[in-house]
Amino acid sequence: MTRRLVLAGVILGLLLPQALMAADLIGDAEKGEVIYRRCSGCHEVGAGADNGIGPELNGIFGRAAASEKHGYAYSKGLKRMGADGLIWEFATLDAYIENPKALVSGTRMNFPGLKNPQDRADVLAYLRSFSDMPQNIPESSPTAFAPEVTLPPEVLAIVGDRDYGEYLASECLTCHQTDGDNDGIPAIIGWPTEDFVIAMHAYKRQIRPHPVMQMMATRLSDEEIAAVAAYFATLQ
Amino acid sequence: MTLNRRAFIGAGLATSALLAAPTVWAQAKPRVVVIGGGAGGATAARYLAKDSKGALDVTLVEANPIYTTCFFSNLYLGGFRAFESLQHGYDGIAAGGVTVINAMATGVDRAARTVTLAGGEVLAYDRLVLSPGIDFKDGSVPGWSADAAEIMPHAYKAGPQTQLLKAQIAAMPQGGTFAMIAPPNPYRCPPGPYERISMVAHVLKTSNPTAKILLIDPKDKYSKQALFEEGWERHYPGMIERVGPEFGGDKVEVRPATMEIVVDGTVQKVDVCNVIPGQMAGKIAGIAGVTDDKGWAPVHADSMKSKMDANVFILGDASAQGDMPKSGYSANSQAKVAVMAIRGELTGSKVFPAKYSNTCWSLIAPDDGVKVGAAYEPTPEKIASTSNFISKPGEDAALRKQTYEESIGWYAGITSDMFG
Ligand SMILES: Cc1cc2nc3c(=O)[nH]c(=O)nc-3n(C[C@H](O)[C@H](O)[C@H](O)COP(=O)(O)OP(=O)(O)OC[C@H]3O[C@@H](n4cnc5c(N)ncnc54)[C@H](O)[C@@H]3O)c2cc1C
């Protein structure tokens, strides 16, 4: 196997949320009801559900992000995603509850995430029972990847050729400012490399909806994403 | 340590400086002269100096001490931006190690590799970057000439012309007529004229609601047409009339002395007439002899290098490169590829495959922004589009508002990328 292939495997295997890799687990709604207790401190679901710390989750499948009907005050980050066209379905929900901040930067959902894919599938099966969409049929999953090698994340910093990263990054600087100002386009400097890579892959896999960023990310190979991430991580 | 070119030059300098005249200094570093400090040239000069970390001697020749962006000049017409917010100086570029000369370049001698300035000075170069933007084609709109621009402004090079047009719109009599003569292809900023129509309509809607807007257009179709037409219908119903080529939009004459326009033989009196003539590469490209019979400068798609001279690179509006629209974004994107190629040739730095992109935002009405964009890659023939996107008719208000906000972010981004 060439170095490039190994590295691609490392990046995908190590850093992508599981949701971006395989989303074809079948959930068990009964088990999910138990897991849902991790959510219920903040969320209500079912008849008469109201907004609490978090929005009510009735009919969440097929609902646009940040579009709850009773006037919940969403964060700017989630509202942006909603305006971009993010729809809650299996793959997007799975990514969000695995690592809320990786899917939606600046979301106010302070929840560390459910790392176990089966737990996520179960809790989503439970939530689906409060949605109109047919139960327990996962939407078509994004392309599945088999994780290959596991290496420590520091490897990434070495992988990213800084010169190449700098050249690739120059394309980003037409919109994203090096001093980190946000005048309508978010700042991307000083992010942890891992979050950056995840965000870029979420655009590449079309899980984050924004068309400009989908185009930008789609033309970058996994190695190139690592190189850009490594470069931006060095800007403060 | 391997002896790279830079270290070698440094060593050469140290010894020869002891022996010889200071001219050795001037020749020791490869010299790059950039003509035009706009979207392409400012980016190129700044990145050449920044990325070569002192290994190149970079000179920027720009006619004006202050650059006024065409981008967002329509928003100034619409009352969304102050004029000053469009203006940028060259201090940041100079601070980055570029020698900035405010002068008009009047001559290029490609055999001697020199540029002559209006004052008579001569600059020698190893590589020349031309990013002079556009000039107007004589006779493109019968009756109009550069002299008539004081009466019928083009406002297609931003500056006093833009201010004049805004003042004329403000002075229109109630129920008067604003006319635009739109340009034939190719021209800078394909959606520009139509964004301008939107902004003029926005102003007139409150200040002069019975006014009419007449858009005389030689083209069958134009950029983001469906989006503009939908927006005009929604925000400015009945106000805008477009006369396309099927009704003589391509056979128009203007009479500045009497403020008349003649469309396919019919004479009409108007109150403001914005003439955007046919365009060609900025004149210095023609003087340098790197343009083709259509008036644009053909370049190689992988580097923006002139097809006529390996020491010359042409960026932005002036270049004929393929699928990229003539936009500030494109010019900025092309500059980065050219800088990499030039550095590679002169300092031996790594050269990576060229990637280009473009996005053009347009504002149709307050908080109603749309965008169109594409990614590009070089092929042997041209810069070719590989993927693209465009806003859709009927998008909801939140998305349109966000798109407008993004465009403000883009303006801040590209101007800080150009000027430091
Ligand atoms: C109304 C309008 C709206 C626009 N909106 C957008 C937009 O929203 N987004 C976008 O991306 N683009 C937009 N554009 C297009 C954009 O302005 C141009 O495509 C871009 O400026 C091209 O960059 P350039 O470097 O080729 O030329 P320019 O930016 O025009 O720069 C050329 C510079 O060269 C100088 N120069 C020329 N000849 C000489 C000489 N002989 N000696 C010395 N100096 C010289 C000029 O003074 C000028 O400063 C718009 C244009 C217009 C007219």
Side-chain angles (χ1 to χ4, degrees):
Chain A
M1 193 146 66
T2 67
R3 184 179 152 82
R4 175 134 185 215
L5 281 175
V6 177
L7 293 171
V10 171
I11 295 160
L12 292 172
L14 193 71
L15 294 175
L16 278 186
Q18 305 279 334
L20 302 189
M21 294 193 271
D24 50 3
L25 290 169
I26 303 297
D28 176 334
E30 271 172 41
K31 289 200 186 119
E33 185 171 4
V34 179
I35 294 162
Y36 179 73
R37 290 183 198 144
R38 311 253 320 255
C39 323
S40 60
C42 300
H43 291 286
E44 292 182 18
V45 70
D50 206 346
N51 293 324
I53 296 171
E56 53 88 6
L57 297 177
N58 281 335
I60 192 72
F61 278 78
R63 190 163 106 185
S67 69
E68 187 280 324
K69 294 275 175 299
H70 307 90
Y72 179 81
Y74 289 98
S75 67
K76 237 180 125 192
L78 196 58
K79 271 197 268 191
R80 175 182 261 284
M81 281 297 157
D84 284 349
L86 182 79
I87 304 289
W88 291 125
E89 52 189 40
F90 188 88
T92 49
L93 283 166
D94 195 39
Y96 188 56
I97 64 176
E98 182 191 0
N99 182 352
K101 300 213 157 38
L103 183 70
V104 182
S105 312
T107 179
R108 240 189 296 106
M109 171 150 137
N110 279 319
F111 178 67
L114 294 175
K115 295 305 163 212
N116 182 332
Q118 189 62 54
D119 286 355
R120 295 197 301 275
D122 292 345
V123 80
L124 291 179
Y126 173 69
L127 284 179
R128 196 192 285 273
S129 64
F130 301 97
S131 285
D132 297 335
M133 291 170 65
Q135 292 176 31
N136 274 347
I137 304 168
E139 278 77 20
S140 58
S141 59
T143 326
F145 296 98
E148 289 183 354
V149 199
T150 25
L151 279 180
E154 302 87 82
V155 175
L156 264 183
I158 309 166
V159 176
D161 177 324
R162 197 180 181 283
D163 283 354
Y164 193 31
E166 184 169 14
Y167 165 64
L168 292 170
S170 71
E171 184 174 33
C172 322
L173 299 180
T174 310
C175 295
H176 295 284
Q177 300 178 60
T178 42
D179 60 9
D181 279 358
N182 174 353
D183 293 296
I185 290 182
I188 55 170
I189 61 168
W191 279 35
T193 312
E194 182 172 324
D195 291 1
F196 197 101
V197 170
I198 290 173
M200 292 300 284
H201 279 277
Y203 287 119
K204 191 171 172 172
R205 306 250 152 262
Q206 326 272 301
I207 289 186
R208 282 193 180 213
H210 201 276
V212 174
M213 282 308 304
Q214 286 181 351
M215 182 179 87
M216 290 292 159
T218 306
R219 73 200 306 225
L220 298 176
S221 68
D222 299 337
E223 210 176 8
E224 288 172 331
I225 288 178
V228 181
Y231 174 76
F232 276 113
T234 66
L235 298 182
Q236 284 312 322
Chain B
M1 196 190 108
T2 52
L3 194 63
N4 63 31
R5 191 180 152 87
R6 189 164 165 210
F8 178 67
I9 289 167
L13 253 182
T15 36
S16 53
L18 293 174
L19 307 169
T23 48
V24 174
W25 274 102
Q27 283 166 16
K29 283 191 197 178
R31 294 150 306 185
V32 185
V33 173
V34 180
I35 299 180
T43 309
R46 185 168 165 267
Y47 272 76
L48 278 165
K50 178 172 83 61
D51 293 351
S52 69
K53 302 185 178 66
L56 294 176
D57 182 337
V58 185
T59 303
L60 174 64
V61 180
E62 164 56 51
N64 298 308
I66 300 286
Y67 179 78
T68 308
T69 59
C70 278
F71 23 111
F72 276 27
S73 66
N74 287 330
L75 273 62
Y76 157 72
L77 294 176
F80 295 92
R81 297 288 287 209
F83 188 72
E84 300 69 46
S85 78
L86 307 177
Q87 297 199 301
H88 305 269
Y90 292 93
D91 292 352
I93 292 182
V98 175
T99 306
V100 179
I101 301 179
N102 284 130
M104 193 75 185
T106 50
V108 173
D109 181 338
R110 291 196 282 121
R113 282 196 268 131
T114 58
V115 171
T116 307
L117 307 184
E121 300 104 294
V122 174
L123 306 172
Y125 66 80
D126 294 295
R127 293 293 181 278
L128 175 65
V129 178
L130 293 174
S131 193
I134 53 125
D135 268 305
F136 301 116
K137 278 192 170 151
D138 285 339
S140 136
V141 177
W144 192 90
S145 66
D147 299 335
E150 291 308 309
I151 303 165
M152 294 186 168
H154 56 77
Y156 230 61
K157 293 186 185 190
Q161 275 279 301
T162 324
Q163 290 173 300
L164 174 63
L165 185 61
K166 189 171 166 78
Q168 289 185 346
I169 295 165
M172 266 171 70
Q174 288 297 314
T177 300
F178 171 98
M180 172 192 282
I181 317 293
N185 287 322
Y187 61 97
R188 63 166 32 162
C189 195
Y194 311 96
E195 180 184 57
R196 176 171 294 171
I197 291 286
S198 311
M199 292 295 95
V200 173
H202 167 69
V203 169
L204 294 177
K205 187 179 174 179
T206 40
S207 71
N208 194 344
T210 53
K212 287 271 172 264
I213 296 176
L214 197 53
L215 167 56
I216 313 293
D217 201 334
K219 300 181 294 298
D220 282 327
K221 52 185 173 44
Y222 60 87
S223 172
K224 302 184 201 169
Q225 184 161 1
L227 295 167
F228 281 115
E229 285 177 355
E230 179 204 47
W232 293 346
E233 195 51 46
R234 182 160 37 153
H235 300 293
Y236 319 113
M239 197 174 209
I240 301 163
E241 185 195 343
R242 176 169 178 269
V243 179
E246 66 279 26
F247 297 107
D250 56 345
K251 293 183 221 46
V252 62
E253 178 199 327
V254 297
R255 298 178 179 161
T258 51
M259 280 308 282
E260 285 170 332
I261 62 176
V262 189
V263 181
D264 212 6
T266 311
V267 181
Q268 182 169 358
K269 197 145 172 54
V270 299
D271 299 288
V272 177
C273 189
N274 175 204
V275 178
I276 309 176
Q279 301 168 20
M280 60 184 193
K283 287 200 179 89
I284 192 72
I287 292 171
V290 292
T291 50
D292 61 16
D293 55 357
K294 298 193 187 71
W296 305 100
V299 293
H300 293 288
D302 57 352
S303 60
M304 302 304 292
K305 187 192 278 264
S306 168
K307 287 192 172 163
M308 304 184 187
D309 187 332
N311 296 318
V312 179
F313 291 73
I314 300 114
L315 306 177
D317 293 352
S319 65
Q321 32 69 22
D323 294 351
M324 295 181 81
K326 299 185 187 299
S327 76
Y329 190 131
S330 295
N332 170 269
S333 172
Q334 293 160 3
K336 292 164 186 173
V337 170
V339 163
M340 183 176 55
I342 293 169
R343 285 175 54 226
E345 289 177 11
L346 297 179
T347 71
S349 66
K350 287 187 231 167
V351 176
F352 303 106
K355 279 189 204 287
Y356 304 95
S357 54
N358 177 60
T359 301
C360 281
W361 285 268
S362 302
L363 187 61
I364 299 178
D367 290 334
D368 191 355
V370 292
K371 64 188 167 213
V372 57
Y376 303 87
E377 270 165 27
T379 66
E381 296 79 39
K382 61 169 187 175
I383 298 181
S385 164
T386 53
S387 65
N388 60 68
F389 62 85
I390 182 164
S391 298
K392 291 174 193 59
E395 284 169 345
D396 69 29
L399 178 54
R400 289 296 178 87
K401 178 163 192 276
Q402 183 161 303
T403 302
Y404 171 54
E405 284 163 3
E406 269 165 38
S407 73
I408 298 171
W410 165 79
Y411 185 90
I414 191 171
T415 50
S416 76
D417 199 35
M418 287 164 62
F419 297 105

